[in-house]
Amino acid sequence: MMLSDFLALPDEHTLSTDDAQALNEALSKAELKDIPSEKHSLVIDYLKVALLNGAVAPNIQDDLRRLLVKLKAAS
């Protein structure tokens, strides 16, 4: 799943495992400027759940944590 697809989802949605893994990869390469400010809370919530549930590949966990910190600071 591309980041733009995720950002366009309605508030209530589900993701397949494959979509979540693809989204995690996309988010690991994303910059703060890639995420509209009105979508920061959506991405923050997603990242918190994904990281807490161990649903993130170990090789990109640090990248997602960095993005989470940047999003929180900007919100």
Side-chain angles (χ1 to χ4, degrees):
M1 170 174 279
M2 302 294 296
L3 177 57
S4 58
D5 296 332
F6 175 69
L7 297 176
L9 289 173
D11 288 341
E12 292 188 30
H13 58 270
T14 59
L15 295 178
S16 70
T17 302
D18 290 340
D19 283 343
Q21 289 175 354
L23 177 58
N24 292 344
E25 286 289 333
L27 286 169
S28 74
K29 297 173 183 124
E31 298 291 332
L32 190 59
K33 64 180 172 69
D34 300 327
I35 303 166
S37 58
E38 65 271 9
K39 296 292 186 172
H40 283 189
S41 63
L42 173 69
V43 178
I44 287 170
D45 291 345
Y46 172 80
L47 288 173
K48 284 180 182 178
V49 170
L51 289 164
L52 285 173
N53 287 327
V56 176
N59 62 316
I60 61 172
Q61 287 179 1
D62 288 342
D63 294 328
L64 295 184
R65 284 189 187 102
R66 274 193 286 280
L67 179 60
L68 180 58
V69 168
K70 288 179 183 179
L71 285 166
K72 285 180 175 180
S75 297

